[in-house]
Amino acid sequence: MLRYYHGVDLLDVHRGEMSWRRLRVLIQHLPSESATWTALRNELTPQQLAEQAAKGQPEKGRWSQQEQLLASAVDAIRRVEWVLLCSNIEQKSKRPDAPEPMRRPGAGPRKKTAKLTDKSANRLFELLQGGAA
């Protein structure tokens, strides 16, 4: 039995009532967990999967409210784990960096802040003391 998608009979392509372009657009806008996209992902080689993972940009994807809430829960759990680690570490030990929030659609990765090195601190001190030429 042929399934319908948004009230469209896929046999309309064969009958000439729907263009191949329209079918492609319908397929491209299927949810990522659909059987079609799952089958396409399952056909990828490990190398192709690794390439796609390296190029992944979740901030450009579509997320539902449920996925946004799940990401918030993951961020909260990571933060609690980080606080627990920091509170149980010796005072003189180096604390781990705070966890990065999960990347969401429309928001790029957080930019790292520059660390002040001894060399740059000395240069800044010289500039403040009138050492600029």
Side-chain angles (χ1 to χ4, degrees):
M1 180 175 182
L2 187 61
R3 292 196 177 147
Y4 291 90
Y5 175 71
H6 286 290
V8 176
D9 186 353
L10 296 180
L11 281 176
D12 286 347
V13 175
H14 178 68
R15 293 182 197 124
E17 297 173 9
M18 179 171 53
S19 69
W20 285 101
R21 182 181 182 281
R22 172 82 173 131
L23 178 61
R24 186 189 76 212
V25 169
L26 288 173
I27 291 171
Q28 285 175 333
H29 290 90
L30 285 170
S32 60
E33 66 274 4
S34 70
T36 302
W37 283 117
T38 302
L40 289 172
R41 276 191 303 273
N42 289 343
E43 292 299 317
L44 294 175
T45 65
Q47 181 183 359
Q48 290 171 323
L49 280 173
E51 288 172 8
Q52 283 193 0
K55 293 186 295 186
Q57 296 176 320
E59 66 273 6
K60 291 185 179 178
R62 300 173 296 184
W63 280 21
S64 67
Q65 184 177 13
Q66 182 179 6
E67 291 165 324
Q68 292 279 4
L69 290 170
L70 182 59
S72 295
V74 168
D75 289 344
I77 290 169
R78 287 178 179 171
R79 188 80 175 173
V80 167
E81 180 185 33
W82 177 73
V83 168
L84 184 64
L85 284 171
C86 289
S87 65
N88 288 314
I89 207 166
E90 291 184 22
Q91 290 290 342
K92 295 182 181 181
S93 298
K94 184 177 187 258
R95 296 188 187 279
D97 293 335
E100 284 277 328
M102 185 176 278
R103 289 167 51 189
R104 290 166 173 76
R110 210 181 341 170
K111 294 180 181 170
K112 300 279 184 184
T113 55
K115 301 278 184 183
L116 190 62
T117 63
D118 288 336
K119 183 179 177 181
S120 59
N122 288 335
R123 177 69 180 140
L124 179 61
F125 182 73
E126 290 172 9
L127 290 172
L128 290 173
Q129 295 300 320

